[in-house]
Amino acid sequence: MTKRRALSALARNIPALKTPPHKKAPPLAGDLPAPFLSGAHGTVSVKNGQYTFNFLNSPRRFTLPVDWHREDLNTGTRLWKLNLHYFDYLHQLENADFEALVSDWIAQNRPFKPGYWLDSWNSYAMSIRLVAWMGEYQRRQAHLGYAFAERMIASIAEQARFLQANLEEDIGGNHLIKNIRALYWCGRFFAGETGCKATRTANRLLARELDRQILPDGFHFELSPAYHCQVLADLLDCWRLMAPGSLRAKLESKLVLMAQIASDFTHPDGLISLFNDGGLHMTVSCGALKDAYETLLGPWPQALSGSQYRAAGFFLKRTSKLFLAYDAGRLGPDGLPAHAHGDVFSFELSLGQQRMIVDTGVFEYNAGARRAHSRATVAHNTLTLDDHDQGEFWSAFRLGRRPGVIVNSACITAGNWMVDARHDGYAHLDGSPVHRRVITISDDETISIQDAIAGGRGQRAVARLLLHPSVEIVRDDRDHILLRSGEARLRLEAESARVSVVERPWWPDFGCEVMTRQLVLDYGTAPGEWSFQLHLETAASHSNTS
């Protein structure tokens, strides 16, 4: 922060820092890299000189010159503003509009202005923008005006130098992977020492980060399936751009593991799981990932019928009738819990191609009620005591106290699926309660969940199930709860709990809110043991309830 403020103060007294660069750009390589897996962050259209940008399901209109720092973008919509500065929507524009927009950004956005690191010269945004600009230059170079092309290349070179001086090693995680990808692009885009320096830096960082960020089972260590897919896409691009050698071979071995996870965590509807931060359409689609992987490395791995990722703490079951993903792992890496939620022992469930029990998802990253709820344990399909969180969440991305999670035993086979685990996220409460959950799936595909609280002193124990908005709730003739959506039928038996229904939001994507229902299973008070079952049923067996 001190460095940023000092540079901002210095820039006020150095006129050259306020204007676009005029120095001759370094030479370009002879074989420029082509665009790859781009354009996942939003849309842009142009009509009658008006640019309409749609990010996070929220459209806004601008005219040239664009007010890149318009006041309404600075309060409560910081992520939207970042998307505007990503520029990975450029492939949707005609050449004239492309030139106009890029020229306008270069003219108006100089480094070292107050707050420059928050958006226009944010290293994460810059990494995405650099790749977008270099890819579009390669695609359009034969149709660009000479003066514009020179100005664009000079800006790319300036941004590349800035990025190398401001890598996100303090943040790490998926941000640093984005930086590395951009550096590999610069290494292939520029000839001579400029390109070589970028490649050397990328190689040094990737060699260090592969073992740090990719767990032994192949999961990205931030434990978000959506971010896992984003990192997989970025690393596939790195592999494509790298020179052959031992580092590339090591990366390839990681990519094979990561692809299996992406395949396993894809629901039957073709979209990714929502555990922790993410969205159904936040990153490159599973189909696009599959196509890119097969182009580079060979056949995409088939989803497994039963899989366990012990390092990450995830356990999955897939049959012709159901898909269940279960989280029995830590909230995230201790040094980077920004995208973690209070979801230990939560699960997602699809029947056929229909999601039935869903994760709450994320509406936004701005600190506030929605962000707090998306991370809270009451928003997830697990158990709370007096509605406390499993970890100490604060601000938008902070986490203090966090639970320790121990898997007592797990059996994931074709004929037997069971996970027995416990966590101590409530041990700070009176009586030091510890939550143990045993989840099993029987041969008839009945899902049984046994919850036990050892210790505690009278805290109210409540389990919750968030339903997909399409799911109807019906009481059958035995006063059991029937959940149905189309042909999918799921019967809940919870004899040891009083079941009620409340309205809750579902956030399948950023900026998208759909109201749905959450089943609240009031067990009683701790200590104690309780259970409930979810039975798959056919539509015919419940025709009398229609």
Side-chain angles (χ1 to χ4, degrees), residues 224-225 273-277 314 325-327 343 346-348 359:
S224 156
S273 162
L274 280 181
F275 285 120
N276 294 308
D277 279 350
F314 287 107
Y326 182 61
D327 183 356
D343 61 356
S346 185
F347 64 96
E348 297 177 317
D359 187 272

Side-chain angles (χ1 to χ4, degrees), residues 277 338 341 362 364-375 396-397:
D277 279 350
H341 292 188
V362 178
E364 62 186 354
Y365 280 166
N366 301 302
R370 281 169 162 151
R371 178 61 176 158
H373 182 72
S374 71
R375 306 177 80 200
F397 296 106

Side-chain angles (χ1 to χ4, degrees), residues 221-299:
F221 77 147
E222 293 185 73
L223 304 183
S224 156
Y227 275 103
H228 175 93
C229 288
Q230 175 180 292
V231 171
L232 172 56
D234 289 341
L235 291 179
L236 279 170
D237 204 6
C238 292
W239 184 93
R240 179 182 73 111
L241 299 169
M242 293 171 68
S246 59
L247 181 58
R248 191 176 193 241
K250 180 177 182 178
L251 173 58
E252 183 171 337
S253 68
K254 300 285 189 181
L255 292 172
V256 172
L257 296 175
M258 295 180 75
Q260 183 65 63
I261 289 168
S263 180
D264 284 348
F265 276 81
T266 300
H267 277 254
D269 62 7
L271 302 174
I272 199 66
S273 162
L274 280 181
F275 285 120
N276 294 308
D277 279 350
L280 297 182
H281 302 91
M282 184 194 86
T283 185
V284 176
S285 72
C286 297
L289 264 180
K290 174 180 180 293
D291 292 344
Y293 183 92
E294 292 186 336
T295 297
L296 298 178
L297 296 176

Side-chain angles (χ1 to χ4, degrees), residues 1 4 6 57 77 122-123 128 139 145 147 162 171 181 194 225 283 304 333 337 351 406 437 454 466 468 482 521 542:
M1 184 68 73
R4 292 164 175 165
N57 295 291
T77 54
N122 173 289
S123 293
I128 298 173
R139 190 167 73 89
F162 183 96
I171 297 176
R181 179 197 185 203
T194 299
T283 185
L304 302 174
L351 300 185
I406 296 176
R437 173 168 277 190
L466 186 68
H468 187 275
L482 178 67
L521 286 68
H542 281 276

Side-chain angles (χ1 to χ4, degrees), residues 6 42 48 126 131 215 330 351 380 407 427 463 502:
N48 299 326
M126 184 179 299
V131 171
L215 299 175
R330 293 176 62 81
L351 300 185
H380 294 89
V407 176
V502 296

